[in-house]
Amino acid sequence: MSSSKNLGTKYIHAGAHPDPSTGAIMTPIYQTSTFVQASPGVHKGYEYARSQNPTRFALEEAFAVIENAQFGLAFSSGVAATDAVMRLLVPGDEVVAAHDMYGGTYRLFSKVYEKMGIVFNYVDTANAENVAKAITPKTKLIWIETPTNPLMNITDIEAVSNIGKKNNCIVCVDNTFASPYLQNPLDQGASIVMHSATKYLGGHSDVIQGALMMNDESLRDQLYFIQKSTGAVPGPQDCFLVLRGIKTLHVRMQRHCENGIKVAHYLRQHPKVGKVFWCGFEDHHNHDIAKKQMRGFGGMISFTLKDDTVEAATKVLSSTKIFSLAESLGGVESLINHPASMTHASIPRDRRIANGLSDGLIRLSVGIEDAEDIIEDLAQAIG
Ligand SMILES: *Cc1c(COP(=O)(O)O)cnc(C)c1O
């Protein structure tokens, strides 16, 4: 595993410059729609806030820094960031995508872009060979998520990036689950990293936002053009909140990882628990790849009960006291979720089941409360 040494200093100072007009150490919230020009075309680099906003620019610089990227772009949601990547394509282009991924990404692909003439090939990317086999001369984009939501499958980013390079395809990695603290896909050769900043980057369940990071200048220019032309930009207050969130990413992630280890092992030995999905187990099918590309295993864990039914799962889902039953993840507080009826309800049932997402699956976003309280809560809920 690569070291997490010095990430804290990087996160605290990413994008932070004293405000030039006052010296304010924190980037002000530039709550303005437009900027006054001295004479037509004579301005300070800011014309209209959809195209340029100083708070957003500070955040976009921070986004680049935390993913070891040249460029960062902020969007009004994670899905808007994914949508911007899709707008690089034209009808007839093909996409090879992971068969197990965030339900909203699948919905965007299957319900919005399929009817616009984009062709999707869904494969099990846990085996990179499957990606290579699905590529045709029309493939322009490979979309992977690792670890996946909610089954914690791991894809070898370096292997898929090499396949992408060989075939002239853009490789985009949804890095939401790992966060930049645990994994940096551009370092493994990916072309674009996507984040739902709503999750670990914001970290406090108080903002919806998305991010793209990349090194290639022409990709950046195309995506910046799409960002300003389609207008899915975050407001300055939301940018401020994510800038603040990033400053504690390392401290939060350390605790998410510590608590995640304890919860995963607790669940595994519980007599009523069936399968536990967590890439930190040595017998996880791609544990070696996880160890190679990640610095830790995070706080996302899914599990089934031995009685893998909606009824038994519902009993657990409605009896926790510290875990709140809610969609989303990556905040300081623990959340519990039922993918089949909540986050992944937009995936048809037969498809879900075929991919291994059972009706009784329970997903945990382990927060940064005290581990003993988290485990005690699970103990009383599972019974
Ligand atoms: C939440 C999420 C998204 C979508 O992001 P929004 O900010 O909700 O639009 C995409 N991918 C993953 C893995 C997510 O968890």
Side-chain angles (χ1 to χ4, degrees):
M1 281 193 229
S2 54
S3 149
S4 55
K5 202 170 152 268
N6 302 340
L7 291 183
T9 310
K10 191 156 108 171
Y11 294 165
I12 288 171
H13 296 281
H17 308 287
D19 181 51
S21 60
T22 63
I25 189 163
M26 288 304 141
T27 306
I29 301 168
Y30 282 92
Q31 192 78 49
T32 186
S33 59
T34 194
F35 302 87
V36 177
Q37 308 197 4
S39 62
V42 179
H43 52 73
K44 300 180 165 143
Y46 297 94
E47 296 155 289
Y48 185 64
R50 173 162 30 77
S51 305
Q52 308 102 358
N53 177 286
T55 318
R56 194 179 90 220
F57 279 5
L59 175 64
E60 290 180 334
E61 186 187 329
F63 279 164
V65 169
I66 63 177
E67 277 294 6
N68 302 333
Q70 292 293 321
F71 310 104
L73 292 170
F75 293 85
S76 55
S77 69
V79 162
T82 304
D83 180 72
V85 174
M86 292 309 296
R87 287 171 191 272
L88 294 167
L89 307 181
V90 298
D93 284 350
E94 295 189 9
V95 178
V96 176
H99 75 159
D100 164 33
M101 60 182 179
Y102 174 65
T105 306
Y106 177 74
R107 181 175 56 202
L108 179 69
F109 289 0
S110 64
K111 296 277 165 53
V112 178
Y113 279 97
E114 220 167 89
K115 70 174 187 222
M116 290 169 66
I118 309 291
V119 177
F120 295 89
N121 264 305
Y122 298 99
V123 301
D124 180 0
T125 59
N127 180 354
E129 284 287 292
N130 293 337
V131 175
K133 279 191 225 144
I135 288 182
T136 78
K138 291 184 174 167
T139 308
K140 293 284 153 53
L141 172 70
I142 302 170
W143 187 279
I144 61 172
E145 192 179 303
T146 180
T148 60
N149 179 358
L151 292 171
M152 308 304 292
N153 285 314
I154 298 292
T155 295
D156 187 331
I157 299 170
E158 193 178 8
V160 171
S161 298
N162 286 337
I163 293 166
K165 276 183 203 142
K166 223 187 281 167
N167 294 281
N168 249 327
C169 301
I170 296 165
V171 175
C172 186
V173 181
D174 182 339
N175 202 28
T176 301
F177 258 42
S179 89
Y181 180 78
L182 297 182
Q183 170 175 285
N184 301 112
L186 297 180
D187 292 350
Q188 321 273 329
S191 341
I192 305 175
V193 171
M194 175 264 160
H195 279 279
S196 168
T198 311
K199 316 295 167 54
Y200 288 107
L201 299 184
H204 296 76
S205 308
D206 52 11
V207 68
I208 295 281
Q209 194 176 101
L212 296 177
M213 295 84 160
M214 69 296 298
N215 284 321
D216 183 284
E217 192 163 3
S218 131
L219 258 185
R220 184 264 171 200
D221 290 348
Q222 291 174 69
L223 289 163
Y224 172 69
F225 180 81
I226 291 168
Q227 181 201 39
K228 77 171 178 189
S229 303
T230 63
V233 289
Q237 169 112 15
D238 288 357
C239 293
F240 177 88
L241 287 172
V242 176
L243 268 170
R244 166 185 274 213
I246 288 170
K247 289 181 194 292
T248 55
L249 180 63
H250 54 300
V251 185
R252 289 184 285 109
M253 289 309 298
Q254 281 160 15
R255 180 65 84 88
H256 283 297
C257 288
E258 284 166 25
N259 286 355
I261 291 171
K262 290 178 187 161
V263 170
H265 286 96
Y266 168 75
L267 289 172
R268 195 169 223 198
Q269 55 75 49
H270 196 292
K272 287 193 182 164
V273 169
K275 279 194 214 138
V276 183
F277 300 85
W278 183 64
C279 58
F281 289 131
E282 277 181 19
D283 57 1
H284 179 284
H285 65 287
N286 273 346
H287 177 69
D288 289 347
I289 296 171
K291 241 168 75 177
K292 178 184 79 164
Q293 67 194 21
M294 300 175 77
R295 301 184 187 95
F297 307 111
M300 295 304 299
I301 301 167
S302 296
F303 70 101
T304 57
L305 297 169
K306 285 208 174 109
D307 176 10
D308 188 9
T309 59
V310 179
E311 293 70 32
T314 301
K315 206 178 142 272
V316 175
L317 289 155
S318 37
S319 357
T320 54
K321 298 189 167 75
I322 287 175
F323 282 85
S324 299
L325 175 62
E327 299 199 8
S328 201
L329 60 109
V332 291
E333 64 287 304
S334 292
L335 297 182
I336 191 165
N337 169 274
H338 182 229
S341 69
M342 297 166 69
T343 43
H344 291 66
S346 52
I347 301 176
R349 182 171 185 275
D350 51 346
R351 219 192 142 79
R352 263 198 292 110
I353 304 284
N355 293 348
L357 200 172
S358 71
D359 289 337
L361 189 81
I362 296 170
R363 189 189 78 182
L364 302 177
S365 171
V366 177
I368 64 170
E369 300 96 338
D370 297 294
E372 58 184 281
D373 296 331
I374 293 175
I375 288 174
E376 202 177 289
D377 192 33
L378 290 170
Q380 65 80 21
I382 297 169

